[in-house]
């Protein structure tokens, strides 16, 4: 993963709208890389690092963006519940999950 992706992660972490936009773009890249990977497998072409690498990277990046979007959604839900006088701490649950289930 390059610094461009790291920059996008930092922005996504602080901006929920950017996170959603980056995740949508990552889903498209993931789908394209999946199709390329599957086409090589169907043709019986040996899977080399050059073929597998972009697919693995796309999956990893999409996973990281999904986690950020999940945390933003948990914050929104926490805020909505608190505005109704309810207790809620879903964000901590998501963070706890991330710490105990790294990718």
């Amino acid at each position: 993963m390059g610094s461009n992706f790291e920059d996008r992660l930092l922005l996504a972490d602080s901006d929920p709208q950017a996170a959603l936009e980056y995740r949508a773009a990552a889903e498209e890249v993931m789908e394209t890389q999946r199709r390329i990977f599957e086409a090589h497998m169907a043709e019986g072409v040996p899977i080399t690092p050059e073929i597998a690498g972009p697919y693995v990277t796309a999956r990893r990046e999409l996973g990281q963006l999904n986690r950020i979007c999940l945390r933003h959604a948990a914050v929104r839900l926490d805020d909505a519940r608190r505005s109704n006088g309810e207790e809620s701490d879903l964000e901590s649950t998501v963070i706890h999950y991330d710490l105990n289930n790294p990718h």
Side-chain angles (χ1 to χ4, degrees):
M1 291 181 290
S3 64
N4 286 338
F5 179 68
E6 292 165 357
D7 291 343
R8 288 192 307 273
L9 276 183
L10 289 172
L11 180 57
D13 194 48
S14 63
D15 183 346
Q17 186 59 40
L20 291 172
E21 291 171 10
Y22 291 150
R23 188 181 83 192
E27 286 173 341
E28 290 178 23
V29 170
M30 175 62 201
E31 182 60 26
T32 300
Q33 291 302 325
R34 184 188 61 76
R35 284 194 305 269
I36 292 168
F37 186 83
E38 288 176 352
H40 281 87
M41 288 180 57
E43 294 172 4
V45 175
I47 303 300
T48 64
E50 292 79 20
I51 295 168
Y55 175 71
V56 170
T57 299
R59 281 188 57 190
R60 183 180 310 118
E61 290 178 358
L62 180 58
Q64 290 174 320
L65 288 164
N66 279 335
R67 286 173 177 246
I68 290 171
C69 288
L70 179 61
R71 196 178 70 253
H72 285 308
V75 169
R76 286 191 307 275
L77 188 54
D78 282 344
D79 291 346
R81 285 183 167 179
R82 288 183 189 126
S83 72
N84 290 331
E86 301 174 40
E87 290 186 27
S88 186
D89 196 15
L90 291 173
E91 181 184 17
S92 291
T93 302
V94 170
I95 292 169
H96 183 266
Y97 177 84
D98 281 347
L99 291 173
N100 290 308
N101 299 285
H103 286 300

